[in-house]
Amino acid sequence: MEGKYQCPCCKNYTLDEEPYNHTYEICPVCFWEDDTSDDNEVSEANGGLTLIEAREIAAWKEERKEKIEIILDGLEKKIRHSYYENTKLATLRDALL
């Protein structure tokens, strides 16, 4: 999932075309559609969010994802002895991430 150009929202290198160029490419990480809107401009293609608001949401989701992974790793260590419990944990991990 690596591209040549950085997504204007999540800053991952996921875009194949240069952003802000009317490409309307969608980032596979944060799902921002590159519609040429700048930081403070409302983007209709992105649910009426500004780029600043979308960046805050992406950062919040990433922070929560890291915390969830830490919690799930701890649970996994506690219940490693049971295949059934590990299966439930894998399902929980998939649902949360």
Side-chain angles (χ1 to χ4, degrees):
M1 189 176 356
E2 231 178 90
K4 291 174 19 181
Y5 299 99
Q6 203 172 27
C7 170
C9 181
C10 69
K11 304 299 184 191
N12 288 299
Y13 284 88
T14 57
L15 303 180
D16 293 325
E17 298 181 45
E18 190 172 1
Y20 306 108
N21 236 358
H22 296 285
T23 63
Y24 298 95
E25 190 172 358
I26 297 174
C27 174
V29 172
C30 69
F31 303 106
W32 178 262
E33 183 175 341
D34 181 33
D35 65 349
T36 71
S37 56
D38 63 19
D39 286 356
N40 295 308
E41 186 179 353
V42 171
S43 168
E44 295 304 323
N46 292 290
L49 294 173
T50 66
L51 191 49
I52 291 172
E53 292 168 332
R55 285 180 188 139
E56 290 171 359
I57 291 169
W60 180 85
K61 288 170 73 176
E62 188 61 33
E63 178 184 317
R64 295 301 178 266
K65 180 180 175 184
E66 289 173 9
K67 288 181 180 181
I68 289 170
E69 287 175 345
I70 290 168
I71 292 167
L72 290 175
D73 287 343
L75 286 173
E76 189 173 27
K77 289 175 186 171
K78 287 181 181 180
I79 60 174
R80 189 167 286 171
H81 65 282
S82 168
Y83 172 78
Y84 176 72
E85 294 297 329
N86 280 330
T87 302
K88 288 192 323 190
L89 182 62
T91 303
L92 177 62
R93 181 185 298 271
D94 290 342
L96 291 173
L97 302 176

